[in-house]
Amino acid sequence: MEEASNFLATKRKKYAVVTGANRGMGFETCKQLASNGVVVVLTARDEKKEMTGQKNWHPAQVNNAAITGVITNTDAVRASTVNGEGANIKWSEVTAQTYDLAKVCLETNYYGAKRTTEALIPLLQLSDSARIVNVSSSSGKLKFVPNEWAKGVFLDDESLSEERIDEVLSKFLNDFKEGEIEAKGWPPFLSAYALSKAAMNASTRILAKRHPNFIVNSVCPGYVKTDMNCQDGILTVEEGSQNIVRLALLPNEGPSGLFFSQKQVSPS
């Protein structure tokens, strides 16, 4: 963080917007960016949530809002955590998926982040140090997607496009509606969440190729204690947010189009 601070000190004022920032890692990311001299716009999906921000900003962006797309038996999770099981919780036994929740999950995690990015790109293009950081998850790694066709689409960088991503997500939802998730080779657990993050990782590569003057990366911050997992994480929000902020503060010669698992580059 010291190196990033020195970099900021030698340049003009930096501005950032963080989506889904009214609590958890989003809010902590805002705090850490601000401590590095960045003017931060804090945003949230629900306008009724308490939030603060600045009206004028550019150039960095962190897409940080996500939902799991499942119904969770929070009482069972909390009981397991109290009993010391922690990260060994069998999430498939304490969650349930529905088609409607899957649709909302994809709409929020992937399409919401995509539309936000598209709306802000004109401002990012005004900067000589534009950054986009998509907060992803190791759950979206393609090794967890049994469907070979979908995996092939995401891995084929030559023909990868937003339209191709849409095809995969549309096929997934159709198979979900028909009750054929496992039969058609989709992730059996946290299905929509995993697909939304796989799509986000693929979209990150598209954006990086389309905007070579930007630095665009996605990152799994680690298994962090948040409300989304009923505080059943390993890392603190401070530790997880450091992995996000590091990418937002990369120097201009930094890497782009990659997926990071915490601080390390990882296959998506």
Side-chain angles (χ1 to χ4, degrees):
M1 299 301 289
E2 180 179 352
E3 182 178 342
S5 298
N6 291 337
F7 168 73
L8 285 171
T10 62
K11 299 291 182 179
R12 60 189 174 85
K13 197 72 173 177
K14 301 292 182 180
Y15 297 82
V17 60
V18 182
T19 63
N22 59 295
R23 62 179 182 174
M25 275 193 295
F27 188 68
E28 178 60 28
T29 296
C30 291
K31 288 168 60 178
Q32 291 188 21
L33 285 170
S35 71
N36 278 274
V38 180
V39 178
V40 183
V41 179
L42 183 158
T43 74
R45 289 191 301 269
D46 186 347
E47 64 183 3
K48 296 178 182 178
K49 301 282 188 181
E50 183 178 352
M51 51 190 286
T52 60
Q54 301 289 331
K55 293 182 179 180
N56 302 309
W57 67 273
H58 70 91
Q61 176 184 340
V62 178
N63 283 322
N64 197 53
I67 60 176
T68 59
V70 298
I71 300 169
T72 303
N73 184 336
T74 55
D75 290 338
V77 173
R78 291 192 180 102
S80 297
T81 303
V82 169
N83 292 333
E85 295 180 17
N88 293 320
I89 291 173
K90 294 182 179 179
W91 287 96
S92 60
E93 297 179 2
V94 296
T95 58
Q97 305 184 116
T98 70
Y99 172 73
D100 288 338
L101 284 176
K103 285 180 62 177
V104 173
C105 181
L106 294 182
E107 182 67 21
T108 302
N109 296 0
Y110 173 64
Y111 288 107
K114 177 175 175 286
R115 283 192 291 267
T116 301
T117 298
E118 289 171 347
L120 300 178
I121 278 177
L123 288 177
L124 290 164
Q125 289 173 324
L126 299 175
S127 172
D128 60 2
S129 58
R131 307 284 181 270
I132 297 175
V133 182
N134 289 320
V135 180
S136 187
S137 169
S138 291
S139 299
K141 286 187 176 184
L142 295 180
K143 69 178 182 179
F144 299 126
V145 179
N147 186 298
E148 292 298 328
W149 168 74
K151 192 179 301 185
V153 170
F154 287 139
L155 287 173
D156 188 356
D157 283 337
E158 290 299 317
S159 63
L160 184 63
S161 66
E162 291 168 345
E163 291 74 20
R164 293 287 279 157
I165 294 175
D166 290 345
E167 286 180 32
V168 172
L169 299 184
S170 178
K171 182 66 167 64
F172 161 71
L173 283 177
N174 184 68
D175 289 342
F176 197 127
K177 193 172 187 178
E178 297 298 320
E180 296 186 313
I181 291 180
E182 293 192 51
K184 293 299 177 68
W186 299 110
F189 163 64
L190 284 175
S191 305
Y193 181 79
L195 263 295
S196 73
K197 295 305 185 180
M200 174 173 278
N201 292 339
S203 179
T204 295
R205 302 199 306 277
I206 293 173
L207 277 173
K209 182 184 269 188
R210 184 179 299 163
H211 300 283
N213 294 329
F214 294 6
I215 292 182
V216 188
N217 293 293
S218 58
V219 59
C220 173
Y223 191 40
V224 179
K225 298 175 187 289
T226 66
D227 289 345
M228 195 163 74
N229 59 29
C230 303
Q231 301 299 319
D232 176 56
I234 297 172
L235 303 178
T236 64
V237 291
E238 291 81 8
E239 292 169 328
S241 297
Q242 286 175 7
N243 297 319
I244 300 169
V245 171
R246 185 182 68 84
L247 295 179
L249 300 180
L250 283 174
N252 284 344
E253 63 273 16
S256 187
L258 300 177
F259 170 67
F260 288 81
S261 179
Q262 298 186 49
K263 294 179 174 62
Q264 303 299 319
V265 175
S266 174
S268 56

